[in-house]
Amino acid sequence: MESSPDPTVETTNSKPPGIRLIESMKKSSLSFNSYQVIVLILTFFAYTSYHANRKTTSIVKQALGPQSPVVLPSLPWQRNITQKPFRDGWLPFDGPNGTAMLGDLDVAFLFVYAIGMYFSGHVGDRMDLRIFLTAGMLGTGLFTALFGVGYWANIHNFYYYMLIQMAAGLFQSTGWPSVVAVVGNWFGKKKRGLIMGIWNAHTSFGNITGSLVASILLKYGWGWSMVVPGIIIAFSGMVIFLLLPVHPEYVGVNKDEDEVLSTGKEDEEVNEPLLREEESAVGFIEAWRIPGVAPFALCLFFAKLVAYTFLYWLPFYISHTGLSALICHAIDGRYLSNEDSGNLSTLFDVGGVVGGILAGYISDQLDARAITAASFMYCAIPALYLYRSYGHISMTINIILMLITGVFVNGPYALITTAVSADLGTHRSLKGNSRALATVTAIIDGTGSIGAAIGPFLTGYISTKSWNAVFVMLMGAAFFAGLLLTRLVVAEVSGKIQEVRSQRSS
């Protein structure tokens, strides 16, 4: 028995204070479509700020880590030529084991984030998501800023940064289940792939924003690259508290005003209401049993392993490999600066924006999420190979290949964490119970986040031996991600064939 009050019985008296103020000034209630626009904009910028804070670590990593000499391209007349690094690291990360220690920070953050995700989904389905999301954003801002405080406080204790990252990971885990649940409450399955594909650009937009802000501030001291994004997300959290409408029923809007709320097929009659006062939140084990949750969750494990390795290590890779040495050799024989490496890495996320929208649109047109996700993952394999093999030839080729890799790596990642999660959170087996959205989202993204923790962690160690081995690992992960969806792909293909046959017979 649940002893806590059921949040589904909230009325218009629980409207966010900012919404009440806007409606009092207008002297009329907002329309359903107006609420939808508000939800999309607020959740977009909320998760943009989450990812901007997450991305700062990969930029700061360049200033913290060891600055060992880099070997120039292995051309016959350039073998074993090295140049002296132009900057110093930050104790204790500037020693021989510095790269591995930075990898340990990544895995500490992401491991706690993954574990916290399971609990966040469970809690999020049982309380006001507006309050829950606000608390998560304020906590994220606090601990991101405390990491940067280590610069001015001259803190060189590894465990200080480790604990800060673990606390930040816990608070960051509140974000994704909350925003997907809120958007899922306002938008049904029709065109959900395209809508959420566009909306999911917040992930890449946050990475780009975080990279640019952190890179610009890095020259003033790496502490600023952490503190400023922390302040921004804390401010965004207060905006969420004032304005975010969590569910149509919470603000007294008739959810039947728009067909987009339908969770069934266009030709199906939906007799069950989307949200009922007596419904109870779906349990953790019950959510795992929803058809499709397990294979998509395991697929995301490998997809996020690839995506987060790029998220955390791409700027470091660019500034510590033959690419920067070759490019700068043509301009004066210098390495790419921290700022230039961070800015260049944002192009991967630009490709990710295109990939997310493209995957969402294609999956809507085909009505086949698994086929789309698996196809993108298989295409990511040659893209990764080409980027590693030919990305160092010139800046132009590197940019093109980085964009292509971003499209195929982030496309399925975006699709699974948005449209697929929302589809499964309102699966017909739930019989209209919508209080599984946050739990299902947390299970899928939490499982994926374990992979996200393992990828950067392994990269911290493997990269000290060979970057070729890192890319082999990434290509293997992409292959397994696609392979895990085979059963669902076969089912979707069979369904399409059956559909074509029935159309011909009729």
Side-chain angles (χ1 to χ4, degrees):
M1 294 289 293
E2 295 285 342
S3 59
S4 58
D6 189 342
T8 62
V9 300
E10 295 194 29
T11 64
T12 55
N13 292 328
S14 63
K15 287 183 180 180
I19 295 294
R20 291 203 301 268
L21 178 61
I22 292 172
E23 291 185 339
S24 66
M25 293 174 64
K26 286 185 59 180
K27 296 182 179 179
S28 64
S29 297
L30 295 175
S31 67
F32 181 84
N33 288 335
S34 296
Y35 275 115
Q36 284 185 310
V37 172
I38 290 172
V39 166
L40 285 178
I41 292 175
L42 289 179
T43 52
F44 181 94
F45 285 105
Y47 211 68
T48 291
S49 63
Y50 270 103
H51 253 268
N53 276 254
R54 199 173 304 173
K55 181 64 176 178
T56 55
T57 308
S58 70
I59 303 300
V60 169
K61 185 180 292 181
Q62 303 169 74
L64 299 178
Q67 311 302 327
S68 57
V70 179
V71 179
L72 286 173
S74 299
L75 299 176
W77 58 88
Q78 291 180 320
R79 292 189 182 279
N80 299 322
I81 300 176
T82 60
Q83 294 184 4
K84 183 179 179 180
F86 69 95
R87 61 194 188 275
D88 297 322
W90 182 267
L91 188 71
F93 305 106
D94 60 348
N97 297 323
T99 302
M101 293 173 73
L102 291 170
D104 291 340
L105 288 186
D106 293 342
V107 75
F109 172 90
L110 291 166
F111 180 76
V112 174
Y113 174 82
I115 300 302
M117 185 74 72
Y118 293 117
F119 291 99
S120 293
H122 184 79
V123 174
D125 276 328
R126 289 161 172 78
M127 67 176 292
D128 189 332
L129 287 171
R130 179 170 61 92
I131 305 299
F132 188 57
L133 190 56
T134 299
M137 295 174 76
L138 292 176
T140 297
L142 172 64
F143 286 100
T144 301
L146 285 176
F147 191 103
V149 167
Y151 173 76
W152 292 285
N154 204 29
I155 298 174
H156 298 280
N157 189 313
F158 170 74
Y159 293 103
Y160 170 81
Y161 297 103
M162 171 78 79
L163 291 174
I164 290 295
Q165 283 293 85
M166 292 173 71
L170 181 62
F171 278 100
Q172 284 242 6
S173 69
T174 61
W176 191 240
S178 301
V179 296
V180 173
V182 172
V183 173
N185 286 337
W186 286 92
F187 294 89
K189 188 173 182 180
K190 187 178 180 181
K191 296 184 179 178
R192 182 183 274 165
L194 178 59
I195 291 172
M196 299 191 87
I198 297 172
W199 172 76
N200 190 66
H202 54 52
T203 299
S204 296
F205 188 69
N207 291 340
I208 293 169
T209 303
S211 296
L212 294 177
V213 171
S215 297
I216 291 171
L217 295 173
L218 201 57
K219 57 190 173 186
Y220 302 108
W222 62 263
W224 290 108
S225 297
M226 303 296 291
V227 170
V228 172
I231 294 173
I232 291 174
I233 192 174
F235 174 78
S236 301
M238 296 310 301
V239 174
I240 290 295
F241 176 78
L242 293 173
L243 295 173
L244 183 65
V246 171
H247 195 283
E249 284 195 2
Y250 286 24
V251 292
V253 176
N254 182 3
K255 56 180 174 290
D256 295 324
E257 287 182 22
D258 199 304
E259 65 177 358
V260 78
L261 281 166
S262 172
T263 59
K265 300 283 186 183
E266 290 183 48
D267 57 347
E268 290 177 352
E269 181 180 356
V270 181
N271 297 316
E272 294 285 347
L274 179 65
L275 189 65
R276 299 169 299 178
E277 184 171 325
E278 71 273 12
E279 69 187 17
S280 60
V282 173
F284 183 79
I285 302 300
E286 185 181 354
W288 266 107
R289 292 173 178 166
I290 296 173
V293 168
F296 273 114
L298 294 173
C299 171
L300 191 63
F301 174 94
F302 291 101
K304 287 192 75 168
L305 186 153
V306 179
Y308 269 66
T309 297
F310 272 85
L311 175 70
Y312 279 97
W313 285 100
L314 184 56
F316 187 91
Y317 170 75
I318 292 172
S319 63
H320 286 72
T321 60
L323 168 67
S324 61
L326 176 60
I327 293 171
C328 292
H329 178 69
I331 326 175
D332 284 333
R334 295 177 304 177
Y335 293 100
L336 284 180
S337 66
N338 288 335
E339 182 177 352
D340 291 337
S341 298
N343 292 339
L344 180 60
S345 70
T346 61
L347 294 175
F348 177 80
D349 293 296
V350 173
V353 172
V354 177
I357 296 173
L358 192 61
Y361 176 76
I362 292 173
S363 69
D364 276 345
Q365 295 302 306
L366 297 178
D367 191 21
R369 309 290 197 211
I371 292 174
T372 305
S375 298
F376 270 67
M377 290 312 308
Y378 288 135
C379 289
I381 298 172
L384 288 164
Y385 175 79
L386 291 172
Y387 180 70
R388 174 56 183 167
S389 300
Y390 301 103
H392 66 279
I393 292 176
S394 72
M395 178 69 83
T396 302
I397 293 177
N398 183 273
I399 289 173
I400 293 172
L401 293 177
M402 191 186 300
L403 288 169
I404 294 173
T405 304
V407 168
F408 290 119
V409 168
N410 282 347
Y413 163 35
L415 179 65
I416 295 171
T417 54
T418 54
V420 170
S421 295
D423 288 351
L424 295 175
T426 53
H427 194 270
R428 62 179 176 271
S429 65
L430 295 170
K431 299 179 180 178
N433 187 344
S434 72
R435 294 187 64 198
L437 269 170
T439 300
V440 169
T441 301
I443 286 174
I444 292 176
D445 201 51
T447 304
S449 296
I450 296 175
I454 292 174
F457 172 72
L458 292 177
T459 300
Y461 288 92
I462 298 174
S463 63
T464 59
K465 305 296 182 182
S466 169
W467 277 103
N468 284 332
V470 172
F471 276 80
V472 169
M473 174 188 74
L474 297 180
M475 288 186 285
F479 174 76
F480 280 112
L483 195 64
L484 284 163
L485 294 181
T486 300
R487 184 176 177 182
L488 296 179
V489 169
V490 171
E492 287 182 349
V493 171
S494 299
K496 296 298 177 186
I497 295 174
Q498 201 170 26
E499 184 179 330
V500 171
R501 287 176 177 173
S502 62
Q503 288 177 350
R504 287 178 177 176
S505 62
S506 62

